[in-house]
Amino acid sequence: MADKKKKRSKGKKSVLITIMGVFAVICLTGYALWTIIAQQTEIAQLEKETDELSEKITVAKQQNDEYTRLLSENDEDTYMEQIAIGKLGYAYPDEKRFFIISGD
């Protein structure tokens, strides 16, 4: 009789241990999947930021090249004239300017 009780308690313990082991494996697998998905999302976001920064670097290099070209030229008067006409709105005394005004 005592042997049957020992076998039952051992059987119950082994079933309980098996269930706990399966539950632990499921939990660890779920955690691993969650971590992988979170890392993939972060990687995609960082790649997007890298692309944006690369584009900004390209634009900055182009501007830098333009500034270097302008500084290396000996024709400073032409550059100053372009700035005065284009950005500041100056004109020559005999020059007539016409502006389009929309009716909106």
Side-chain angles (χ1 to χ4, degrees):
M1 193 82 147
D3 290 334
K4 289 182 182 181
K5 286 184 181 181
K6 286 183 182 180
K7 285 183 182 180
R8 270 194 228 159
S9 64
K10 284 184 181 180
K12 287 182 182 180
K13 286 182 183 179
S14 66
V15 170
L16 183 62
I17 290 173
T18 304
I19 291 172
M20 287 175 49
V22 169
F23 181 72
V25 168
I26 290 172
C27 288
L28 289 174
T29 304
Y31 176 73
L33 288 174
W34 177 262
T35 303
I36 290 171
I37 291 170
Q39 287 179 350
Q40 291 296 325
T41 304
E42 187 176 352
I43 288 170
Q45 180 184 4
L46 291 174
E47 285 176 349
K48 182 180 176 185
E49 289 177 13
T50 302
D51 292 341
E52 291 173 0
L53 290 175
S54 295
E55 186 176 325
K56 286 182 181 180
I57 288 171
T58 303
V59 170
K61 283 182 179 179
Q62 289 173 350
Q63 287 178 344
N64 192 23
D65 291 343
E66 178 67 17
Y67 293 149
T68 303
R69 184 187 63 78
L70 291 173
L71 289 174
S72 67
E73 288 183 359
N74 294 330
D75 196 10
E76 188 176 322
D77 293 333
T78 305
Y79 174 70
M80 290 172 64
E81 182 180 330
Q82 288 174 355
I83 296 297
I85 292 172
K87 292 188 178 181
L88 301 176
Y90 289 139
Y92 289 106
D94 59 341
E95 183 179 16
K96 291 183 181 180
R97 292 201 171 187
F98 297 97
F99 297 100
I100 299 173
I101 301 173
S102 64
D104 292 347

